[in-house]
Amino acid sequence: MKKVLVGLLVLVALSIFAVQVNYGIFADITTTNIWNLLGSGSSAQNFAVQLWKYPSLLGMNKDGTLIPSAATEIPKLVKEGNMYTVTVKLRKDMRWSNGAPFTADDVVFTYMTVKEMEIPGGNWSGAYEPEKVEKIDTWTVKFYFKEKKTMTIYYDTLMTAIVCSNYWKPIVEKAKKQKDPVKWLLSQEVIDPGITALNLGKIEKGAFVQVTKQVPDYKYWAYGEKNIYYKGGGFSIVNPKTGFKWSTGDTKQPVTLEVVNGPFVDTIVYKIFGNKQVAIQALISGDIDYIYNPVGLTAGEAEQLKGQKDIKIVSNPQLGFRYLAFNMRRFPMNVKEFRQAIAALIDRDFICNQVLQGRAIPLATPIPPANSFWYNSAVKTIGEGLSMGERYQLAVSLLKKAGFKWDTEPVIDPKDTKNPVKTPGKGLKGPDGKPVPTLTLLSPGMDYDPMRAQTAMYIEQWAKNIGIPLNLKLTDFNEIVTKAFDDVDFDMYILGWGIGRVPTYFKSFWHSEEMAPEGFNTPGYSNPEFDALIEEFEYADTFEQARKAIFEAQRILAEDLPYIILFTNPLIEAYRTSIKFPFDQMLDGIQGYYGFPEGVKKVQ
């Protein structure tokens, strides 16, 4: 009886001192299966609640520095005969939440399962790159590649999520005996071990998802591990418990930030809200501590929270951009000067600062300035610094240069700052003397994205002022995606991209091998010089060589303009001062770290 009473008292004590934080999300998770999670089941909510529990061999710190994660160091890419190899030494101190050690078996099993089972989904693409993955010993793995795709290997293949083989192996073996092995495997809803102390607990559809501590601090290999940032870019990983250490750069400089791994909470409850307004009210009332949202808050929502007691609002540069795309397969979008003329008309500063009231940041390249290693600050937009009248003049001169004419040529007075267009252009004709057909600009409507819709309205009017027959169609987002990416039936459209920190997306969006509908190159852009630079970037021997290639690629894009890069917008987030994150100022915000599940602290 005494033993039972003591046990009950311990449980009561644990429940009293258990630490819980509450996050808000906007949809149910749809799968707990990692193979599906990184395939067709990928979603922001699925990633936020689960993806962080899986290890990868390499990673990046908050400054974008390449660092080891499950590896002990950054491995070298070596030429061996007709192959390129990477030999990865693994950390010996890592353990799965079921107690199994993290070993070479986990790495080989993950990559071989993806290839042999042909697991679908773009997020598994890196696992398809190696020709072979070989176990050298318990703590060493060797990758073999046919091509020296340096950037893909380091920033995709070696950053692939790895699963616990002793858990998944029997399930995969059973899948292979099914009529449709892949379909059966992806349909299994299981909660598998993570490399973390936290893992999925109770799931209540439509209400909440619970993440709980499943490994006590004294048993957790990563508890107390430190990421140390030094002035000047130095960085160290130090694990006092296991003795693991790794450094890069000058670590003799003063420490600017020290991030200690927890977890510091016992439970995270992800409460599901039907819309943002309900979530915002829950944040104000204290029902949740943080709203997870990949697109952040609008300016109006931030204003609603401004001044509220115990709420902190943070703004960070976002990894993403809005853009206008041309269908370069059609006239006159296939004429570079025509595209440049449209670009010259678009006053990004006016759009961002006046129309959008400071809620957007003008961009000249597809890489935001905050991504400083890859951003080419020398690239300028056409017409940058000109008045609106001067922009009209420049656009007209570019069209004339390409042989365009008008029935009534526009008359511009650049000195008149209020109304520089004295005579609007009419009857625009191409170099062949034939009238330019009426063109359609597709854009999401005001309900979906008022920033894009308002920008599109100004572009339509500026174009019409000099006689470009452009009609705006505000329409459903899915219609634009279908016309642009599936049917490739459009003149121009405005959409946006979320992007990675490393610009491997340059190939996806603009390389001639990636033409839509098979790929994402919707403009049909083809420039051998650009393609060569992207291949130089991809196969670079050093990161400096890759950087040089991307700098030049940005310059070419700003001149050729398959896209006109319009703007990005700050990622605005809010959380209660009842919690504390390791840091809240970084590229792509708190949401980029999924709310720091093992770093968040409850403020007492």
Side-chain angles (χ1 to χ4, degrees), residues 324-339:
L324 183 154
F326 295 97
N327 188 348
M328 296 171 63
R329 305 165 189 82
R330 294 180 178 176
F331 175 81
M333 284 70 66
N334 62 344
V335 179
K336 180 163 74 172
E337 289 81 3
F338 176 83
R339 301 193 300 274

PDB file of all heavy atoms in Angstrom, residues 324-339:
ATOM      1  N   LEU A 324       6.474  38.616 -61.591  1.00  0.00           N
ATOM      2  CA  LEU A 324       5.667  38.605 -62.813  1.00  0.00           C
ATOM      3  C   LEU A 324       6.424  37.764 -63.832  1.00  0.00           C
ATOM      4  O   LEU A 324       7.608  38.018 -64.097  1.00  0.00           O
ATOM      5  CB  LEU A 324       5.456  40.025 -63.338  1.00  0.00           C
ATOM      6  CG  LEU A 324       4.562  40.197 -64.573  1.00  0.00           C
ATOM      7  CD1 LEU A 324       3.933  41.601 -64.576  1.00  0.00           C
ATOM      8  CD2 LEU A 324       5.319  40.008 -65.889  1.00  0.00           C
ATOM      9  N   ALA A 325       5.772  36.767 -64.405  1.00  0.00           N
ATOM     10  CA  ALA A 325       6.401  35.882 -65.393  1.00  0.00           C
ATOM     11  C   ALA A 325       5.836  36.149 -66.779  1.00  0.00           C
ATOM     12  O   ALA A 325       4.638  36.421 -66.938  1.00  0.00           O
ATOM     13  CB  ALA A 325       6.187  34.423 -65.018  1.00  0.00           C
ATOM     14  N   PHE A 326       6.709  36.064 -67.785  1.00  0.00           N
ATOM     15  CA  PHE A 326       6.318  36.218 -69.188  1.00  0.00           C
ATOM     16  C   PHE A 326       6.318  34.849 -69.865  1.00  0.00           C
ATOM     17  O   PHE A 326       7.208  34.024 -69.602  1.00  0.00           O
ATOM     18  CB  PHE A 326       7.323  37.096 -69.938  1.00  0.00           C
ATOM     19  CG  PHE A 326       7.384  38.516 -69.471  1.00  0.00           C
ATOM     20  CD1 PHE A 326       8.364  38.919 -68.569  1.00  0.00           C
ATOM     21  CD2 PHE A 326       6.477  39.456 -69.931  1.00  0.00           C
ATOM     22  CE1 PHE A 326       8.441  40.235 -68.146  1.00  0.00           C
ATOM     23  CE2 PHE A 326       6.549  40.781 -69.514  1.00  0.00           C
ATOM     24  CZ  PHE A 326       7.524  41.170 -68.615  1.00  0.00           C
ATOM     25  N   ASN A 327       5.372  34.631 -70.758  1.00  0.00           N
ATOM     26  CA  ASN A 327       5.416  33.449 -71.621  1.00  0.00           C
ATOM     27  C   ASN A 327       6.249  33.801 -72.849  1.00  0.00           C
ATOM     28  O   ASN A 327       5.762  34.405 -73.805  1.00  0.00           O
ATOM     29  CB  ASN A 327       4.011  33.015 -72.033  1.00  0.00           C
ATOM     30  CG  ASN A 327       4.013  31.689 -72.769  1.00  0.00           C
ATOM     31  OD1 ASN A 327       5.073  31.184 -73.164  1.00  0.00           O
ATOM     32  ND2 ASN A 327       2.845  31.100 -72.941  1.00  0.00           N
ATOM     33  N   MET A 328       7.519  33.440 -72.813  1.00  0.00           N
ATOM     34  CA  MET A 328       8.456  33.829 -73.860  1.00  0.00           C
ATOM     35  C   MET A 328       8.280  33.019 -75.145  1.00  0.00           C
ATOM     36  O   MET A 328       8.992  33.243 -76.129  1.00  0.00           O
ATOM     37  CB  MET A 328       9.883  33.710 -73.334  1.00  0.00           C
ATOM     38  CG  MET A 328      10.168  34.667 -72.182  1.00  0.00           C
ATOM     39  SD  MET A 328      11.755  34.377 -71.353  1.00  0.00           S
ATOM     40  CE  MET A 328      12.902  34.709 -72.695  1.00  0.00           C
ATOM     41  N   ARG A 329       7.315  32.114 -75.161  1.00  0.00           N
ATOM     42  CA  ARG A 329       7.006  31.372 -76.390  1.00  0.00           C
ATOM     43  C   ARG A 329       6.121  32.200 -77.310  1.00  0.00           C
ATOM     44  O   ARG A 329       5.900  31.828 -78.465  1.00  0.00           O
ATOM     45  CB  ARG A 329       6.284  30.061 -76.044  1.00  0.00           C
ATOM     46  CG  ARG A 329       7.030  29.169 -75.050  1.00  0.00           C
ATOM     47  CD  ARG A 329       6.094  28.100 -74.490  1.00  0.00           C
ATOM     48  NE  ARG A 329       6.700  27.347 -73.390  1.00  0.00           N
ATOM     49  CZ  ARG A 329       6.743  27.750 -72.124  1.00  0.00           C
ATOM     50  NH1 ARG A 329       6.219  28.932 -71.802  1.00  0.00           N
ATOM     51  NH2 ARG A 329       7.295  27.012 -71.192  1.00  0.00           N
ATOM     52  N   ARG A 330       5.527  33.288 -76.784  1.00  0.00           N
ATOM     53  CA  ARG A 330       4.563  34.099 -77.537  1.00  0.00           C
ATOM     54  C   ARG A 330       5.114  35.496 -77.808  1.00  0.00           C
ATOM     55  O   ARG A 330       5.901  36.034 -77.035  1.00  0.00           O
ATOM     56  CB  ARG A 330       3.257  34.237 -76.745  1.00  0.00           C
ATOM     57  CG  ARG A 330       2.483  32.960 -76.552  1.00  0.00           C
ATOM     58  CD  ARG A 330       1.207  33.225 -75.760  1.00  0.00           C
ATOM     59  NE  ARG A 330       0.407  32.017 -75.590  1.00  0.00           N
ATOM     60  CZ  ARG A 330      -0.699  31.947 -74.877  1.00  0.00           C
ATOM     61  NH1 ARG A 330      -1.140  33.040 -74.251  1.00  0.00           N
ATOM     62  NH2 ARG A 330      -1.371  30.815 -74.772  1.00  0.00           N
ATOM     63  N   PHE A 331       4.632  36.077 -78.884  1.00  0.00           N
ATOM     64  CA  PHE A 331       4.920  37.482 -79.187  1.00  0.00           C
ATOM     65  C   PHE A 331       3.910  38.342 -78.427  1.00  0.00           C
ATOM     66  O   PHE A 331       2.729  37.984 -78.350  1.00  0.00           O
ATOM     67  CB  PHE A 331       4.802  37.721 -80.698  1.00  0.00           C
ATOM     68  CG  PHE A 331       4.971  39.165 -81.087  1.00  0.00           C
ATOM     69  CD1 PHE A 331       6.233  39.724 -81.199  1.00  0.00           C
ATOM     70  CD2 PHE A 331       3.863  39.972 -81.324  1.00  0.00           C
ATOM     71  CE1 PHE A 331       6.399  41.055 -81.534  1.00  0.00           C
ATOM     72  CE2 PHE A 331       4.016  41.306 -81.652  1.00  0.00           C
ATOM     73  CZ  PHE A 331       5.291  41.849 -81.764  1.00  0.00           C
ATOM     74  N   PRO A 332       4.314  39.487 -77.888  1.00  0.00           N
ATOM     75  CA  PRO A 332       5.646  40.102 -77.913  1.00  0.00           C
ATOM     76  C   PRO A 332       6.508  39.771 -76.686  1.00  0.00           C
ATOM     77  O   PRO A 332       7.558  40.347 -76.487  1.00  0.00           O
ATOM     78  CB  PRO A 332       5.303  41.586 -77.931  1.00  0.00           C
ATOM     79  CG  PRO A 332       4.067  41.678 -77.084  1.00  0.00           C
ATOM     80  CD  PRO A 332       3.285  40.418 -77.362  1.00  0.00           C
ATOM     81  N   MET A 333       6.029  38.801 -75.873  1.00  0.00           N
ATOM     82  CA  MET A 333       6.789  38.467 -74.659  1.00  0.00           C
ATOM     83  C   MET A 333       8.141  37.851 -74.986  1.00  0.00           C
ATOM     84  O   MET A 333       9.028  37.775 -74.143  1.00  0.00           O
ATOM     85  CB  MET A 333       5.980  37.525 -73.764  1.00  0.00           C
ATOM     86  CG  MET A 333       4.850  38.176 -72.978  1.00  0.00           C
ATOM     87  SD  MET A 333       3.425  38.721 -73.978  1.00  0.00           S
ATOM     88  CE  MET A 333       2.783  37.145 -74.547  1.00  0.00           C
ATOM     89  N   ASN A 334       8.304  37.382 -76.231  1.00  0.00           N
ATOM     90  CA  ASN A 334       9.585  36.798 -76.646  1.00  0.00           C
ATOM     91  C   ASN A 334      10.612  37.854 -77.048  1.00  0.00           C
ATOM     92  O   ASN A 334      11.748  37.523 -77.382  1.00  0.00           O
ATOM     93  CB  ASN A 334       9.370  35.809 -77.794  1.00  0.00           C
ATOM     94  CG  ASN A 334       8.783  36.474 -79.037  1.00  0.00           C
ATOM     95  OD1 ASN A 334       8.259  37.583 -78.970  1.00  0.00           O
ATOM     96  ND2 ASN A 334       8.872  35.794 -80.168  1.00  0.00           N
ATOM     97  N   VAL A 335      10.210  39.133 -77.010  1.00  0.00           N
ATOM     98  CA  VAL A 335      11.126  40.231 -77.355  1.00  0.00           C
ATOM     99  C   VAL A 335      11.693  40.807 -76.050  1.00  0.00           C
ATOM    100  O   VAL A 335      10.932  41.294 -75.205  1.00  0.00           O
ATOM    101  CB  VAL A 335      10.398  41.330 -78.155  1.00  0.00           C
ATOM    102  CG1 VAL A 335      11.353  42.478 -78.475  1.00  0.00           C
ATOM    103  CG2 VAL A 335       9.791  40.754 -79.431  1.00  0.00           C
ATOM    104  N   LYS A 336      13.014  40.766 -75.910  1.00  0.00           N
ATOM    105  CA  LYS A 336      13.626  41.189 -74.649  1.00  0.00           C
ATOM    106  C   LYS A 336      13.308  42.640 -74.320  1.00  0.00           C
ATOM    107  O   LYS A 336      13.012  42.974 -73.154  1.00  0.00           O
ATOM    108  CB  LYS A 336      15.149  40.995 -74.704  1.00  0.00           C
ATOM    109  CG  LYS A 336      15.851  41.419 -73.421  1.00  0.00           C
ATOM    110  CD  LYS A 336      17.255  40.859 -73.313  1.00  0.00           C
ATOM    111  CE  LYS A 336      18.227  41.546 -74.234  1.00  0.00           C
ATOM    112  NZ  LYS A 336      19.631  41.108 -73.982  1.00  0.00           N
ATOM    113  N   GLU A 337      13.338  43.504 -75.320  1.00  0.00           N
ATOM    114  CA  GLU A 337      13.072  44.923 -75.053  1.00  0.00           C
ATOM    115  C   GLU A 337      11.632  45.140 -74.571  1.00  0.00           C
ATOM    116  O   GLU A 337      11.366  46.081 -73.814  1.00  0.00           O
ATOM    117  CB  GLU A 337      13.339  45.761 -76.299  1.00  0.00           C
ATOM    118  CG  GLU A 337      14.808  45.904 -76.661  1.00  0.00           C
ATOM    119  CD  GLU A 337      15.364  44.709 -77.412  1.00  0.00           C
ATOM    120  OE1 GLU A 337      14.585  43.766 -77.723  1.00  0.00           O
ATOM    121  OE2 GLU A 337      16.576  44.699 -77.700  1.00  0.00           O
ATOM    122  N   PHE A 338      10.691  44.295 -75.037  1.00  0.00           N
ATOM    123  CA  PHE A 338       9.317  44.402 -74.542  1.00  0.00           C
ATOM    124  C   PHE A 338       9.272  44.081 -73.054  1.00  0.00           C
ATOM    125  O   PHE A 338       8.650  44.808 -72.269  1.00  0.00           O
ATOM    126  CB  PHE A 338       8.392  43.467 -75.317  1.00  0.00           C
ATOM    127  CG  PHE A 338       6.978  43.458 -74.800  1.00  0.00           C
ATOM    128  CD1 PHE A 338       6.068  44.439 -75.187  1.00  0.00           C
ATOM    129  CD2 PHE A 338       6.546  42.489 -73.894  1.00  0.00           C
ATOM    130  CE1 PHE A 338       4.770  44.447 -74.696  1.00  0.00           C
ATOM    131  CE2 PHE A 338       5.257  42.491 -73.398  1.00  0.00           C
ATOM    132  CZ  PHE A 338       4.358  43.473 -73.801  1.00  0.00           C
ATOM    133  N   ARG A 339       9.943  43.002 -72.665  1.00  0.00           N
ATOM    134  CA  ARG A 339       9.969  42.634 -71.247  1.00  0.00           C
ATOM    135  C   ARG A 339      10.661  43.723 -70.430  1.00  0.00           C
ATOM    136  O   ARG A 339      10.223  44.065 -69.324  1.00  0.00           O
ATOM    137  CB  ARG A 339      10.698  41.294 -71.068  1.00  0.00           C
ATOM    138  CG  ARG A 339      10.065  40.135 -71.823  1.00  0.00           C
ATOM    139  CD  ARG A 339      10.611  38.780 -71.394  1.00  0.00           C
ATOM    140  NE  ARG A 339      12.041  38.634 -71.603  1.00  0.00           N
ATOM    141  CZ  ARG A 339      12.620  38.236 -72.732  1.00  0.00           C
ATOM    142  NH1 ARG A 339      11.860  37.949 -73.794  1.00  0.00           N
ATOM    143  NH2 ARG A 339      13.938  38.110 -72.825  1.00  0.00           N
TER     144      ARG A 339
END
